[in-house]
Amino acid sequence: MKRRKFIQNASLSTFGIAVGSSVFASEIKKSISEVNEILPKNAGYPMVIATWNVNDSTAEAWRVLQEGKSALDAVEKGCMIEEANAEGQSVGIGGLPDRDGNVTLDACIMNKEGDYGAVVYLQNIMHPISVARKVMEDTTHVILAGKGAEQFAISEGFEKTNLLTEASKKAWEEWKKTSKYKPIINIENHDTIGMLAIDKNGDISGGCTTSGLAYKMAGRVGDSPIIGSGLFIDNQVGGATATGLGEEVLKTVGSFLIVELMRQGKTPQEACEEAIGRIIKKNPDFKDFQVGYIAVNKKGETGYYSIHDGFWITKYQNEKNENIPSSFYDKK
Ligand code: SD4
């Protein structure tokens, strides 16, 4: 019925254009809105999904997508919100330092062409995600580390910033009293930000940014900036990103695994569950650490899964910016 009405209106509109009448112009508008009604709703994109409860980040990415910009722009801008949030102690400024008191940041970004850029062990720069993008777009390399990454950032106009806030310094001084290294599960319900977006053209990009594990050894690099581990995008298939104990994600190349499982026909949810399953199989001691994955396929269908309770994701899709608790393996 609707389709017939649309066809009638469409032919009226064609005539309207010919005679230039405003009555017929309004018919054109009506017809366009009816086309939109007929086309499948919930195509799944544009959309953004991120690890943890980061509504401001997903809202920013969504805003960028609504401007018609690329998924790459969206994930960069979305990640930057958390990097600049001094209250968050696991990303960007305010991140908890390594055991020597230095805040060192890891980040990477991937675009729809499968290009990749990353910075590891970057100090004194607030937006590692943007430096990673510059590495991808303006150099012939894919990863820059430490001092070299910092020098590159400064040469690109990034400002030097002290990333160790009073709160993080205090927490580190408290930790030093025992100096016991133990990964903290679901730190303050907010952790590494991994973000995946699909723009209006259906193209996928992703970003991942973190200060890594609190009180890590100096020089330690986690999964977040490493292609295939903390993040992987294949624009033909989908994308995945990780949070949690990076060593375990690295050993199972988790994000690449998830994308390959989706390529073989698994849903994003099934793929995330299998990637967590691989970690569990290797680790009888899985009770002591957390890993969480999120994934999206080309249709905008999503999946998320973690080892333990407490992992949340934020999804902005179909005009709704939602925090959703992830399902998890360890039901106790
Ligand atoms: C890392 N995966 O450096 C990151 C940090 C993280 O829980 O997500 N911590 O291992």
Side-chain angles (χ1 to χ4, degrees):
M1 199 49 199
K2 264 187 182 151
R3 182 174 293 274
R4 186 158 352 113
K5 197 163 164 227
F6 158 65
I7 292 164
Q8 279 168 2
N9 278 344
S11 52
L12 265 178
S13 306
T14 313
F15 180 60
I17 291 165
V19 298
S21 145
S22 65
V23 174
F24 287 120
S26 80
E27 282 297 323
I28 292 175
K29 265 197 195 151
K30 211 169 134 205
S31 299
I32 290 171
S33 74
E34 290 203 17
V35 171
N36 287 336
E37 241 179 79
I38 289 163
L39 286 173
K41 278 248 163 51
N42 305 335
Y45 54 83
M47 64 85 62
V48 192
I49 184 168
T51 55
W52 305 105
N53 294 328
V54 287
N55 302 55
D56 291 350
S57 289
T58 48
E60 175 63 8
W62 179 260
R63 188 192 64 72
V64 171
L65 291 175
Q66 294 306 301
E67 282 178 357
K69 296 202 175 125
S70 67
L72 185 70
D73 289 332
V75 295
E76 181 190 0
K77 294 282 185 282
C79 286
M80 283 172 72
I81 297 290
E82 271 309 314
E83 288 177 342
N85 173 13
E87 310 274 295
Q89 289 187 304
S90 51
V91 176
I93 189 165
L96 289 170
D98 66 13
R99 62 192 194 183
D100 297 340
N102 298 310
V103 180
T104 71
L105 305 179
D106 295 339
C108 77
I109 198 159
M110 275 191 90
N111 68 13
K112 66 182 161 81
E113 279 87 24
D115 296 323
Y116 155 80
V119 287
V120 302
Y121 205 72
L122 175 65
Q123 296 182 52
N124 304 313
I125 304 288
M126 200 194 298
H127 290 300
I129 194 74
S130 303
V131 186
R133 182 168 177 176
K134 291 266 179 210
V135 172
M136 178 174 81
E137 293 179 341
D138 297 352
T139 78
T140 52
H141 307 304
V142 294
I143 307 179
L144 291 181
K147 273 280 158 236
E150 188 178 327
Q151 276 164 14
F152 170 71
I154 288 165
S155 75
E156 290 284 332
F158 290 83
E159 268 175 33
K160 253 183 127 156
T161 309
N162 173 21
L163 301 176
L164 187 64
T165 55
E166 273 313 306
S168 290
K169 189 168 172 215
K170 231 170 128 192
W172 169 61
E173 276 161 357
E174 198 54 39
W175 172 82
K176 274 201 298 184
K177 290 181 185 160
T178 56
S179 297
K180 258 210 197 108
Y181 178 74
K182 193 171 179 294
I184 307 164
I185 286 182
N186 302 328
I187 183 168
E188 60 175 81
N189 207 18
H190 168 307
D191 219 311
T192 293
I193 301 309
M195 184 178 280
L196 309 167
I198 312 184
D199 58 33
K200 68 172 176 22
N201 301 320
D203 290 321
I204 310 171
S205 294
C208 191
T209 181
T210 188
S211 52
L213 296 179
Y215 320 128
K216 59 197 176 186
M217 285 176 71
R220 182 265 188 190
V221 172
D223 61 310
S224 305
I226 305 300
I227 188 169
S229 288
L231 176 75
F232 195 71
I233 302 294
D234 182 327
N235 197 36
Q236 304 290 308
V237 178
T241 184
T243 180
L245 187 62
E247 281 70 8
E248 296 307 323
V249 177
L250 281 161
K251 285 190 273 182
T252 49
V253 200
S255 294
F256 182 70
L257 173 62
I258 290 169
V259 172
E260 290 309 300
L261 290 167
M262 291 194 291
R263 192 194 306 282
Q264 290 162 23
K266 292 216 185 293
T267 64
Q269 185 61 33
E270 289 165 346
C272 288
E273 290 180 17
E274 182 156 343
I276 290 291
R278 298 269 176 112
I279 294 176
I280 305 246
K281 230 190 244 166
K282 288 182 78 180
N283 289 280
D285 63 340
F286 71 85
K287 292 213 172 326
D288 299 333
F289 65 86
Q290 173 72 304
V291 172
Y293 286 116
I294 63 173
V296 66
N297 67 12
K298 195 66 184 162
K299 290 188 260 179
E301 294 165 342
T302 55
Y304 22 92
Y305 200 61
S306 58
I307 300 177
H308 301 285
D309 192 9
F311 175 44
W312 285 67
I313 66 108
T314 310
K315 181 157 70 167
Y316 210 138
Q317 195 171 32
N318 300 322
E319 311 293 328
K320 239 186 348 189
N321 195 12
E322 278 181 294
N323 300 126
I324 305 170
S326 169
S327 51
F328 54 94
Y329 176 83
D330 184 22
K331 304 289 187 311
K332 308 278 186 226

